[in-house]
Amino acid sequence: MRDLGNSIVSLSGSLLVAHPGLVEPNFCRTVVLLANHSAEDGALGVVINRGLGEYLGDYGDEYSDTPLARVPLFYGGPCDTKRVLLLAWKWNEHSRDFKLYFGIASDKAAEMMNGEPGLEVRGFLGYSGWEAGQLEKELMQDAWSISPIESSTLSQNKGVQLWRSLLRKTRPGLSFLADAPEDPSSN
């Protein structure tokens, strides 16, 4: 949450960009799309830049003979990693608007894929969650930067490149760390 004077603003619909010093394996060099954030309930989102190199059709028979078979599968976070969570999003260039569908049923996702051009559907194993106050504490400790969602951000960059690009935008003073090797001994 951002404190704007005396009012608190939710970060729902924002991206969290991990600080280069955040070495916790679940979040090192990650970008998290926050679907929900409130002072009372905490925060919920998914890591969007850790593709698993698999598709939903590879993961289970439930998806193999459906339109969802070729939907890419991602690591969503350390919570409930045996569960598949389906998300869809669409950037409307005309209205500069980002529409997110979080935790949609597979039949609804398949229907949306056929009916909405430009819609991106992804499957996630697990999710990322924070208890009330936990994310705010991590933000105060500088573990994350906050970035708005822009059309080119999600479409032009993949994997660690997305993290690098957003880190350079949100924290230009740390951009030299964006290209540092994950393992300094390999430098």
Side-chain angles (χ1 to χ4, degrees), residues 84-154:
V84 173
L85 187 62
L86 294 175
L87 273 74
W89 61 69
K90 184 176 183 177
W91 176 265
N92 184 325
E93 196 63 51
H94 177 69
S95 63
R96 312 233 7 106
D97 175 55
F98 180 76
K99 188 174 242 183
L100 174 67
Y101 304 92
F102 191 90
I104 52 180
S106 53
D107 57 338
K108 179 68 176 171
E111 178 185 314
M112 291 170 69
M113 285 174 66
N114 291 327
E116 276 195 61
L119 185 75
E120 182 162 351
V121 178
R122 290 185 183 182
F124 293 88
L125 291 181
Y127 64 92
S128 302
W130 292 264
E131 294 178 353
Q134 183 181 2
L135 180 57
E136 292 78 8
K137 183 178 177 183
E138 291 179 17
L139 287 166
M140 288 176 53
Q141 294 170 341
D142 216 17
W144 301 98
S145 297
I146 302 163
S147 174
I149 296 172
E150 299 170 353
S151 66
S152 62
T153 305
L154 298 179

Side-chain angles (χ1 to χ4, degrees), residues 18-93:
H19 186 283
L22 182 59
V23 295
E24 199 277 327
N26 290 305
F27 295 111
C28 181
R29 296 181 177 214
T30 60
V31 176
V32 176
L33 170 58
L34 282 180
N36 192 18
H37 176 240
S38 73
E40 302 80 32
D41 298 325
L44 174 73
V46 290
V47 174
I48 61 170
N49 68 322
R50 286 223 177 130
L52 297 174
E54 297 178 25
Y55 298 95
L56 284 175
D58 301 330
Y59 186 72
D61 292 337
E62 174 185 350
Y63 306 105
S64 60
D65 291 328
T66 72
L68 301 175
R70 299 297 297 165
V71 167
L73 194 56
F74 288 75
Y75 168 80
C79 303
D80 203 8
T81 58
K82 300 290 184 204
R83 180 176 173 221
V84 173
L85 187 62
L86 294 175
L87 273 74
W89 61 69
K90 184 176 183 177
W91 176 265
N92 184 325
E93 196 63 51

